Amino acid sequence: MDIKWTTYRIKTVHPFGISRSTHTFYDVVFVYIIDGDIVGRGEAAPPIRYGETKNAVLTQLETKIELLADYDSVAHLIDHLVLHSGGLKSLEAAISMAALDWWTQKNNIPLYSYFDADPSKMPQTSFTIAIGELETIPQKISEAEPYPILKVKLGTSQDKEIIQAIRRVTDKTVRVDANEGWNLETAIEMSFWLADRNVEFIEQPLKADSIEETAILKRKSPIPIIADENSMVSTDIPKIAHAFHGINIKLMKCGTLSEAQKMIRIAREYEMSVMLGCMVESSVGITAAAHLSPLVDYADLDGNLLIGNDPYLGVLVSDGQLKLNDSPGLGVTPIADPEGLL
Ligand SMILES: [Mg+2]
């Protein structure tokens, strides 16, 4: 068995703007565990917000990562590799995906079976309308025509104008993500204003260090408040349960698929709703998350739909509905074959 990796630049269809930044490309690292004919695939999409970079992931892989000669189980192998991942959650995610893809292919079962997830219970995914020029909204809404749920990035100086422009052309369900862009006063006012415009919930309205203010907002807001930047790993949940109605789990924040599964379990103990989200990623990362999606309430797994050069084919989306094939493992295949991609 061998472990390999390569970098790849994913390019967005539209510049991807959120409250703190705008990007036209992201560098990801694909990790492969190779065992004879079997290739287990994983993806690290290093989140800049949390200080992770492609170079940090590569350095860690080059200097610290080695497969174990002897291991008791796939969980043991993953634990060993995670121990040498330098705390880089995106690398932990990539390693966990690649190892579980390899192991479930070897055992001829789809990855969702490993997590006891029922693929007939997959949710619909929302489709993101990122921050950009107001004039581009009608075109973006028309491109989002197949998707029944829109996730709209706010936290700008034109938040009401953006929602008004959307509501002029569609009455679809809208979810809002302010990406820490508001203060308490704005958030309270916006929660009522958005509730009147059929917005389902608000994600991370306040800065991650404003937990007590978020708790005040939770008591006042007529619609649910969901944690993203405040919900990294399972140990965060008890600390924020009083301030949020739900959490957004992302593999690139929490690391392994098992940690994501643990977050789902703990959130349920606190009677919190659960969303499964993503970074801008290829179909490798998105498909891995999709295998857990039957276990959650909301999916926001559109990162691969926002890029124009996805080199893999995996989970499909039809009218917003996520659909996995029942191939063993992740069920992803390369569709482009640039140098280094397996
Ligand atoms: Mg978010």
Side-chain angles (χ1 to χ4, degrees):
M1 229 158 70
D2 200 5
I3 185 164
K4 291 188 174 170
W5 53 87
T6 190
T7 60
Y8 187 78
R9 178 161 288 184
I10 52 179
K11 294 172 185 164
T12 61
V13 176
H14 294 291
F16 191 74
I18 68 167
S19 65
R20 53 181 169 258
S21 59
T22 296
H23 290 266
T24 54
F25 66 85
Y26 297 84
D27 289 326
V28 301
V29 181
F30 292 117
V31 173
Y32 307 109
I33 290 180
I34 302 151
D35 179 14
D37 291 343
I38 299 178
V39 180
R41 298 179 177 91
E43 176 176 7
I48 302 153
R49 163 70 173 77
Y50 307 113
E52 298 196 9
T53 62
K54 171 193 76 173
N55 284 340
V57 168
L58 289 175
T59 301
Q60 200 68 25
L61 280 162
E62 281 154 15
T63 59
K64 301 281 191 236
I65 293 291
E66 268 179 60
L67 292 177
L68 273 181
D70 279 314
Y71 47 87
D72 305 331
S73 62
V74 67
H76 178 201
L77 176 63
I78 293 169
D79 286 348
H80 162 80
L81 293 170
V82 163
L83 208 57
H84 296 87
S85 294
L88 294 164
K89 295 297 172 185
S90 60
L91 178 55
E92 294 179 14
I95 281 166
S96 157
M97 289 175 210
L100 287 173
D101 184 23
W102 157 72
W103 191 86
T104 48
Q105 285 185 69
K106 198 176 163 74
N107 288 278
N108 206 28
I109 56 168
L111 182 57
Y112 58 73
S113 298
Y114 180 86
F115 290 107
D116 276 331
D118 176 353
S120 72
K121 302 217 168 87
M122 296 181 73
Q124 292 180 324
T125 181
S126 51
F127 185 80
T128 301
I129 307 296
I131 292 171
E133 299 298 321
L134 263 183
E135 305 76 66
T136 63
I137 286 179
Q139 188 205 336
K140 285 181 180 169
I141 300 297
S142 105
E143 287 170 12
E145 205 271 312
Y147 306 99
I149 307 165
L150 302 177
K151 174 156 151 179
V152 180
K153 295 286 195 182
L154 294 184
T156 72
S157 55
Q158 301 183 297
D159 288 345
K160 289 187 179 175
E161 289 86 345
I162 291 169
I163 295 296
Q164 283 162 338
I166 291 170
R167 279 292 173 247
R168 272 196 287 279
V169 288
T170 179
D171 59 0
K172 282 178 186 177
T173 296
V174 166
R175 299 169 179 168
V176 158
D177 187 356
N179 284 109
E180 311 179 277
W182 295 338
N183 59 29
L184 178 59
E185 189 188 351
T186 305
I188 293 172
E189 199 245 315
M190 286 300 287
S191 71
F192 285 93
W193 192 86
L194 293 169
D196 286 342
R197 283 152 187 85
N198 190 27
V199 168
E200 191 177 18
F201 59 69
I202 303 168
E203 194 179 315
Q204 196 71 40
L206 305 182
K207 294 225 179 307
D209 61 9
S210 305
I211 282 289
E212 292 321 312
E213 291 188 308
T214 308
I216 295 169
L217 173 66
K218 182 191 179 189
R219 289 198 293 275
K220 299 199 173 188
S221 170
I223 50 177
I225 308 297
I226 309 289
D228 183 358
E229 284 83 344
N230 269 120
S231 151
M232 308 284 292
V233 294
S234 56
T235 50
D236 292 331
I237 298 172
K239 294 182 251 174
I240 62 164
H242 67 297
F244 291 93
H245 298 90
I247 58 164
N248 183 354
I249 299 171
K250 294 175 183 168
L251 294 173
M252 299 303 153
K253 292 187 300 180
C254 77
T256 66
L257 286 144
S258 298
E259 176 65 11
Q261 187 187 31
K262 188 174 175 188
M263 290 181 81
I264 296 169
R265 193 172 67 240
I266 294 177
R268 297 307 187 200
E269 285 169 15
Y270 284 89
E271 298 183 344
M272 297 175 91
S273 59
V274 180
M275 167 163 49
L276 202 47
C278 60
M279 306 297 172
V280 180
E281 301 167 26
S282 84
S283 280
V284 173
I286 299 298
T287 304
H291 280 269
L292 288 172
S293 70
L295 307 175
V296 306
D297 308 300
Y298 312 111
D300 179 33
L301 296 177
D302 65 344
N304 57 338
L305 307 173
L306 305 173
I307 61 177
N309 63 337
D310 190 347
Y312 289 95
L313 184 67
V315 65
L316 298 178
V317 180
S318 168
D319 295 330
Q321 182 60 53
L322 293 159
K323 277 190 189 146
L324 286 168
N325 57 53
D326 50 14
S327 306
L330 271 179
V332 295
T333 46
I335 47 177
D337 191 21
E339 200 159 322
L341 289 191
L342 295 172

